[in-house]
Each structure stands twice: as structure tokens, then as C-alpha cells.
């Protein structure tokens, strides 16, 4: 049961929008997200990967540059905030356990790449492209392409080499995804097999980079 202090839940929308996040007393461990974060860590452990990402609340889904951790939107920490976000933004990613895990596995793909400095691995650039390629302001995906996995909406793996890596990792990590069967006749199978090889190399290996941030400020 959530034990967050709810003195602010009765505020009007205008009042709540003017309230600083640090005054909301949000705690990820007291939300529906905590069991899902634990599930992710168990998925990594079952793969014999010692990396266990730090997960904390922030403005939006992301993996901060240089930090092998995952930020999840603070508005997911309370139903009142979810409703507010939907009202003024129109949507929010990760409100259901299934969508949350899809996002969490994706961001963990970015985080594990940072934790083990996989961006310097020769197979990484060969299969997924140059991580230093500028991010486009927008992209038009080829919806028929079989050169990329299909995980997040809008064929997100096609947005950038970094997203291609993270999406491929998410598909590889998802239990019972059966990617070997689903993608067996697709060119993207080469990427999935490369990911499987890279993750095999990481078994029982401590991360070379640790997260230094764990809290939302």
C-alpha cells in the first residue's frame, strides 16, 4: 500500500502546477513501479549479468549521459499526477505494467551500454552504427523494414543507432519473447545474435562505470 503523504492531492490543477516536485514527497519505492524495477533486476540476474541499474524519479524517461542508470517520470509516482499529465500533455508512457516494462528494458539498454562502455566495442558500431551520429529532429521510419526489431511504438529502433541498440537489447532481455522464432528469417537476426554475443561476454563481469546519481532534485 502506498504511504506517500497526500496533503497536496487536493490542490487545484493550477496550484499543483506551481508546486515544486521536491515538495511532493514522492518515493519510487512506494509506487506500482518498485516491483517492476525488481523484476527487471531479476531478469538481468537470470542472465548472469551483474549490472543492476539505479532507477530514480526525474522529468522524463531517459538515460542521463554518462550515467548507467534510468530516470522514470515523476508523474508516474501518483495517480493524481498521471491524470494531470494526461490532461495537459495528452499522454504519458509507462502507466501500465506492460508499457512500463517495455520502457524500462529499453532505457536499461542505454544504461548497460554506458556501464560497460559498449559504445567502444567494435561489434557495436559494425552492427548498430556510429553512436556519435547526430540525433535527427524527426524521422520517417520504413514500416516494412525487417532490419530492426519492433518493440516501442513508431518503429523507434530506426530513430538512431543508440535507439537501435537499446531496442534490440530490450527484445533480447524480454522473457519468453522468443525472438529466435519471431525474427528467424529477418535480417535483424544478425543484430540479435550480436547482442546475445555481447551479453554473453558480460556474464559475471562487474560494470566498469558506476552510477553517481540516485535521486531526483
Amino acid at each position: 500500500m502506498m504511504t506517500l503523504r497526500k496533503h497536496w492531492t487536493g490542490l487545484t490543477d493550477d496550484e499543483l502546477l506551481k508546486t515544486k516536485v521536491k515538495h511532493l514527497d514522492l518515493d519510487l519505492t512506494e509506487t506500482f513501479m518498485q516491483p517492476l524495477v525488481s523484476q527487471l533486476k531479476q531478469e538481468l540476474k537470470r542472465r548472469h549479468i551483474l549490472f543492476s541499474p539505479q532507477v530514480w524519479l526525474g522529468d522524463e524517461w531517459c538515460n542521463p549521459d554518462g550515467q548507467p542508470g534510468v530516470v522514470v517520470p515523476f508523474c508516474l509516482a501518483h495517480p493524481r499526477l498521471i491524470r494531470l499529465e494526461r490532461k495537459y500533455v495528452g499522454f504519458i508512457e509507462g502507466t501500465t505494467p506492460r508499457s512500463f516494462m517495455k520502457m524500462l528494458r529499453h532505457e536499461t539498454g542505454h544504461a548497460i551500454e554506458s556501464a560497460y562502455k559498449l559504445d567502444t566495442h567494435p561489434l557495436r558500431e559494425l552492427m548498430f552504427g556510429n553512436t556519435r551520429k547526430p540525433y535527427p529532429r524527426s524521422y520517417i521510419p520504413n514500416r516494412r523494414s525487417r532490419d530492426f526489431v519492433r518493440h516501442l511504438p513508431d518503429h523507434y529502433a530506426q530513430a538512431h543507432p543508440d535507439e537501435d541498440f537499446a531496442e534490440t537489447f530490450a527484445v533480447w532481455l524480454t522473457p519468453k519473447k522468443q525472438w529466435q522464432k519471431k525474427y528467424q528469417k529477418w535480417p535483424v537476426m544478425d543484430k540479435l545474435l550480436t547482442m546475445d554475443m555481447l551479453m554473453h561476454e558480460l556474464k559475471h563481469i562487474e560494470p566498469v562505470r558506476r552510477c553517481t546519481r540516485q535521486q531526483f532534485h
Side-chain angles (χ1 to χ4, degrees), residues 34-148:
Q34 183 56 44
L36 300 177
V37 172
S38 297
Q39 177 184 328
L40 173 91
K41 295 184 177 184
Q42 283 300 312
E43 291 173 4
L44 292 168
K45 186 176 181 179
R46 283 194 292 270
R47 299 282 189 145
H48 305 290
I49 295 176
L50 299 185
F51 174 62
S52 181
Q54 296 290 342
V55 181
W56 66 93
L57 298 174
D59 292 329
E60 61 183 351
W61 284 102
C62 71
N63 162 241
D65 290 341
Q67 291 289 330
V70 176
V71 176
V72 301
F74 69 86
C75 52
L76 290 175
H78 196 281
R80 175 73 172 91
L81 299 176
I82 292 176
R83 292 194 299 270
L84 189 71
E85 185 80 1
R86 282 177 172 161
K87 179 177 180 179
Y88 288 94
V89 177
F91 72 97
I92 177 174
E93 297 175 301
T95 56
T96 66
R98 182 174 183 272
S99 63
F100 183 88
M101 288 304 298
K102 287 171 77 77
M103 291 296 301
L104 185 59
R105 293 187 187 106
H106 171 91
E107 296 299 342
T108 299
H110 290 303
I112 200 169
E113 184 172 34
S114 177
Y116 290 97
K117 297 184 178 180
L118 293 176
D119 58 319
T120 63
H121 197 292
L123 281 179
R124 195 280 189 203
E125 182 166 342
L126 177 65
M127 296 304 301
F128 298 97
N130 193 335
T131 187
R132 292 174 293 280
K133 179 182 178 180
Y135 263 83
R137 292 187 177 182
S138 62
Y139 68 100
I140 301 176
N142 178 355
R143 299 185 182 279
R144 295 183 179 181
S145 176
R146 294 192 170 191
D147 293 324
F148 303 87

Side-chain angles (χ1 to χ4, degrees), residues 6-9 42 50 104 112 120 145 163 204-205 216:
K6 303 184 180 66
H7 61 274
W8 48 266
T9 58
Q42 283 300 312
L50 299 185
L104 185 59
I112 200 169
T120 63
S145 176
E163 306 308 339
H204 309 295
I205 302 296
F216 175 83

